Every structure is written in structure tokens, then in C-alpha cells.
Amino acid sequence: MTKDGGKKDNKAAQYGVTPQSVDFNDWYNEVVKKADLADNSPVAGAMVVRPYGSALWENVVRWLDDRFKATGHESLIFPTLIPMNFIMKEADHVEGFAPELFTVNKIGTEELAEPYVMRPTSETIIGHMWSGWLNSYRDLPFLHYQWGSVFRAELRTKAFLRTSEFYWHEGHTAHADEAEARAEVRTILDLYHEFCRDVLALPVVRGEKTASERFAGAVSTYSIEGMMRDGKALQSGTSHYLGQNFSKAFDVKFQTREQKEEFAHTTSWAISSRIIGAIIMTHGDDAGLIMPPRIAPIQVVVIPVGRKDNFDEMVAEGEKLAAELRAQGLRVKVDKRDGVTNGFKYNDWELKGVPVRIELGPRDLESGVVVVKNRNSAEKETLPRAEAVAGMAARLDGVHDWLLKRATDFMLENTVTVDTYEDFKAAIEAGKWVRAFHCGDPESERQIKEDTKATARNVPLDDAEFFAEAEEGMCVHTGKPAAYGKRVIFGRQY
């Protein structure tokens, strides 16, 4: 049943998932489970990531990790547990995270004199260690990051988007001065933008968070924001300039060239497993996932089509074809499942979103052709085998370009510019993003959120790809002069 009591579209039975237009939330949850990305866990609020989802995350990790190392960053590993008193040392930090903390009060049956918290993020413990490692300006910059999981209590959980344990990298850097630290923040933000656009086919808006939306303890927070196909915003990555706040709390100081003592300027930044949710909700359709080719665990699936008496032969031919594609560096799977109809296989791989499917039957083999279908198209093509193999990389690039254009067009078509609060509320209720002037008052933002459930996503940067125009005007909510010299993006969020 739909939320209004009506029956669900029979497409749910045909494709195996509820259509997006019927119930986007049900569509998402069904895709996550039926495409074998993740499953529920016996631990409340946590998920189990299945091999297909894990392979997708591994590809995310691999690309980012290579880029971090190429820009001079070094990985390290910190413990999951953090002393409670560390969290308490930075006032804004504890206020921001206190409601979300998991605490450990016992080891076995023994009560701890001081509890630990399971890391919600690691600025505090890293600052503590840096204070012992940093002596001179010659030691700087510290360019560190780690891969791991973090823990934040979530009342409303949703696989990949909001879970009590989730996966990420967290970058932490320390610098001799503000200019160098701010340059680091921007370098990472631009790297995230490149990753989303050129690898994930996700259009995102780079911008600075308003004061009320900043990371707890930060001086400035920057984000990349993406629009999902239900019109909601997803904060897909963040990069923070922390100033000297954590350095002062944890005594992270050094001797300058002038033999003076100075506190380091620090940053932190992250993309988490929420980015998988962004891939699902930006690119999926009523048949399931559409994987961006450059990150897809399987880029091409080969389906041998044969009868019982020649199926093994067709599997062997499928493996030969797969080997030719793998020689190009492509990720290819041959579907060897016996006793399963071809129609089931086709629908299964459509649901899993594999970018390209190749069908190979006895007649195709005799004729030297294969049948090729892109996941983003309803049409099949019959091509000479050599041509299909030689053109596969370009074909995959074409799927990427199609996904990026579709997502960009959708974002632009569903973002409106308004100047009155009535128009603002109507646009938000219609599921749009809104571009509007704002005075910068946190209390006004609070009231807007109470009225509409919309929040300020960010103030686009001057050189952002989208919505960067400089403008002056009056706040859409208070009528006071706008604070940012441009319009702010508002929207409901995940």
C-alpha cells in the first residue's frame, strides 16, 4: 500500500522494486537489499555491508586513497576509543556531539574510573598526539588521514545515509599559518568535487556552510551538496578550517622561525559511506540501480545464452570474451548460473545497475556478433564482436556522460530562485531547492527550518560550478540586508 492507502503500481512486481514515483523511501530501501548492497544488522542502527556494496566502497577508497597519497598525505591508525575528558576539552565540540555519543563504562565487570567514548570523529585524540609530535615549524605541515568507522547515535536510521556506525576517511592536517591551512581545506574540497563529477557522475555544489550549519568547533566549514531524485539535498563531503581551536585545547604548538611559540592551524575533512547513498539516489530508476561506470564493481556483465546441451560451451566462450575485455583493464563478470532463466538474469543485473550487458548465444557465436545493452537504454544493439570489444571503454564513458548530464539537468530544473517567503515555502513544499537571499541570522534559519523543514545547504563559492553569481538583496525571511553577497541554497536534507 502507498502512504495514501492506494495499491502500489504493478511495476513493483515486474521490476522487483517499488517505483520511485509511488514511494521513494520504499524504493531506496528495497534497492539496497535486493541489489545485495547491504542488509539489516542485529545491532540496532547498524548495517551489514554485503560483498557487492563492499566492492563499491573499496573502489571509492582506492580512488581517494591514491589521490591523498599523491598530494603528500600519509595514513595512520588511531584507536576507536577516546577518553571522555578529551571530548570535553573543546566546548563547541562537546556541545555538538554530546547527544550522539556512545560511551563505554565497563571492561568486563569492572567499572572504569573515567568512561571512554567511541569516536564520533578524531580531532581530539589526534590533537593530543600531535602535541607530543610537534616541536618546530620544520615539522609542519602534518598531512594525515585514516580510514575506519565512527559511531554516532541515530534515532532514524537508513542504510548508508544514517547509521550508528558508518565508514569514512577522516583527514587531519596541521599548518604553520592560516593561509596554508585554508589552502588545504580548498584543495580537498576541489578534490571531492572532481571525484564526484569525474568518477561518480554526481553534480555537486561547492560552498561554505552558514554559521549555524558549521562543524562543531570549526571556524569555517565547506561542503559539497548533491540533489537526489526526490529533490532532497545530501551533504556528500565536508572540509573544515578549525583555526587554532583544537590546537589550544590540546596544546599543539611549535617554535616559529622567529623563535616564538605559536599554536598550529588545523583542518579536518571527510567523505563517508553516505556517498553510496548519493550514487543510489542520484542515478537509480524504477528498475533499480544505475552504477556510474568508473566506480562500478562490475562494469560489464557477460550472459552466455544456451540450452542445457551447449550451456557449458557458451560459458567458455563468455569467459574468452570477458578475458578480451579484462585485458583493457575493465571489471567484467560472466554469469554462469545454471537453471536460471535468461529473463531473470537480465532483470537481476538491471537491478544491480551494471552499466553494460552483453548477451552471447550460439547463433551470435556463429555470426561473429554479440548483443549489447547499456543500462541507461531500453535498446539492444547487435554488433560485430571485435567492434563491441574495441568500443567498450568509449561506451562506458558515454554512460558516465549521460548520467552526469541527466543529474545536472535534474538539479538545475528543480532549483528555483525566489524573493518572497511565500514563494520560498511553496517551492520547498514542492520538493525544490531554493536560491534566496538571507541575512545570516541563526535564529532566522531556525525559524525557517521549523516552518519548512528546510536548512541552508551552503553559500556557493565564487568559482563554484553552479549558482555562483554575485548578487545583493534583502533576506527572504526577515527583510534585512543579505549577508553573503549572493543567494544561499536552501532545501530539505537527508
Side-chain angles (χ1 to χ4, degrees):
M1 302 286 284
T2 62
K3 290 180 180 177
D4 62 3
K7 290 185 178 180
K8 288 185 178 179
D9 193 306
N10 62 12
K11 286 183 179 179
Q14 179 183 355
Y15 294 118
V17 292
T18 299
Q20 293 180 353
S21 59
V22 173
D23 192 312
F24 193 84
N25 184 64
D26 283 355
W27 171 85
Y28 179 88
N29 291 332
E30 290 169 18
V31 164
V32 167
K33 291 196 75 171
K34 292 184 177 183
D36 297 332
L37 293 175
D39 206 344
N40 297 330
S41 162
V43 178
M47 62 180 172
V48 174
V49 182
R50 298 188 65 179
Y52 194 51
S54 181
L56 178 57
W57 179 240
E58 285 175 354
N59 287 345
V60 170
V61 171
R62 188 175 297 113
W63 192 94
L64 288 170
D65 198 72
D66 287 346
R67 291 304 300 271
F68 296 154
K69 287 182 169 61
T71 49
H73 297 81
E74 298 177 301
S75 66
L76 37 60
I77 301 171
F78 272 76
T80 298
L81 297 178
I82 297 173
M84 176 67 84
N85 74 81
F86 283 16
I87 297 290
M88 304 299 291
K89 280 187 178 182
E90 212 289 326
D92 290 337
H93 201 61
V94 67
E95 183 180 351
F97 281 108
E100 301 179 333
L101 297 179
F102 286 91
T103 60
V104 177
N105 297 298
K106 287 184 178 181
I107 296 179
T109 59
E110 184 179 345
E111 292 277 351
L112 294 173
E114 181 192 352
Y116 293 110
V117 300
M118 300 177 74
R119 65 177 175 225
T121 181
S122 301
E123 283 80 5
T124 59
I125 192 169
I126 286 177
H128 171 81
M129 297 305 298
W130 276 351
S131 68
W133 298 348
L134 179 58
N135 294 298
S136 165
Y137 71 90
R138 297 182 184 89
D139 299 326
L140 294 172
F142 284 162
L143 303 177
H144 296 152
Y145 70 98
Q146 69 171 338
W147 291 97
S149 58
V150 287
F151 304 83
R152 300 178 188 176
E154 291 285 356
L155 296 177
R156 299 178 180 177
T157 59
K158 195 176 185 70
F160 296 111
L161 296 177
R162 291 196 177 275
T163 50
S164 294
E165 180 182 6
F166 60 91
Y167 311 98
W168 71 350
H169 62 265
E170 49 180 311
H172 299 274
T173 70
H175 305 266
D177 57 52
E178 177 177 350
E180 185 179 278
R182 285 192 176 276
E184 165 75 9
V185 169
R186 186 56 194 270
T187 293
I188 295 299
L189 189 73
D190 290 347
L191 187 154
Y192 288 165
H193 168 253
E194 176 193 354
F195 175 59
C196 287
R197 181 194 61 203
D198 296 346
V199 181
L200 307 184
L202 299 177
V204 291
V205 179
R206 289 170 291 168
E208 183 173 1
K209 289 288 192 181
T210 61
S212 61
E213 294 290 325
R214 283 181 196 140
F215 175 72
V219 175
S220 304
T221 289
Y222 299 84
S223 71
I224 52 172
E225 305 284 334
M227 179 184 281
M228 307 300 99
R229 289 198 69 78
D230 62 350
K232 288 185 179 178
L234 184 69
Q235 179 179 287
S236 302
T238 51
S239 189
H240 316 284
Y241 171 58
L242 305 177
Q244 296 173 311
N245 293 343
F246 288 91
S247 293
K248 290 177 178 177
F250 290 92
D251 206 32
V252 183
K253 55 190 177 184
F254 64 97
Q255 193 171 59
T256 69
R257 292 176 185 273
E258 294 77 24
Q259 305 301 304
K260 296 179 181 179
E261 197 170 69
E262 181 66 74
F263 289 101
H265 293 257
T266 66
T267 81
S268 66
W269 30 270
I271 277 181
S272 76
S273 46
R274 298 187 90 207
I275 203 70
I276 293 178
I279 293 169
I280 297 167
M281 292 193 294
T282 302
H283 297 317
D285 64 11
D286 285 351
L289 298 169
I290 304 180
M291 285 284 186
R294 294 169 189 171
I295 207 74
I298 302 167
Q299 295 171 304
V300 183
V301 61
V302 178
I303 301 182
V305 178
R307 303 180 304 273
K308 287 185 178 180
D309 60 347
N310 64 7
F311 183 71
D312 289 345
E313 177 189 353
M314 295 315 303
V315 167
E317 291 296 333
E319 290 287 8
K320 291 178 184 177
L321 177 60
E324 295 174 36
L325 293 166
R326 290 183 186 123
Q328 300 179 30
L330 302 179
R331 296 181 290 276
V332 187
K333 182 176 179 64
V334 180
D335 189 338
K336 305 176 186 179
R337 288 177 291 181
D338 197 2
V340 179
T341 66
N342 294 325
F344 178 87
K345 292 180 181 180
Y346 300 159
N347 286 336
D348 190 35
W349 293 114
E350 293 271 313
L351 176 62
K352 289 182 168 67
V354 173
V356 176
R357 181 175 87 223
I358 298 179
E359 302 164 20
L360 179 62
R363 292 181 181 176
D364 302 321
L365 188 62
E366 291 175 6
S367 303
V369 300
V370 293
V371 177
V372 182
K373 181 184 179 299
N374 292 359
R375 173 60 181 82
N376 62 309
S377 172
E379 304 300 322
K380 293 184 180 183
E381 300 176 74
T382 300
L383 299 172
R385 174 173 173 153
E387 180 182 328
V389 170
M392 189 55 65
R395 177 179 291 272
L396 291 167
D397 285 342
V399 175
H400 172 95
D401 294 344
W402 184 91
L403 287 171
L404 181 59
K405 184 179 187 306
R406 183 182 74 147
T408 301
D409 290 347
F410 183 83
M411 181 180 71
L412 295 176
E413 290 164 5
N414 288 279
T415 302
V416 298
T417 300
V418 304
D419 290 306
T420 71
Y421 197 45
E422 288 305 311
D423 288 344
F424 182 105
K425 290 187 288 186
I428 292 295
E429 189 60 31
K432 308 289 186 181
W433 278 8
V434 171
R435 297 175 64 241
F437 294 117
H438 193 261
C439 61
D441 180 3
E443 176 59 23
S444 171
E445 285 188 46
R446 188 195 66 76
Q447 290 179 12
I448 288 172
K449 183 177 181 180
E450 187 175 296
D451 289 347
T452 68
K453 300 180 182 178
T455 55
R457 304 316 309 145
N458 66 26
V459 184
L461 295 171
D462 290 342
D463 63 345
E465 192 172 2
F466 304 106
F467 313 130
E469 299 88 347
E471 293 183 75
E472 297 291 345
M474 308 306 286
C475 177
V476 72
H477 182 247
T478 67
K480 297 176 182 178
Y484 305 105
K486 60 180 62 178
R487 294 177 187 266
V488 181
I489 296 175
F490 288 85
R492 292 176 178 169
Q493 66 166 329
Y494 278 100

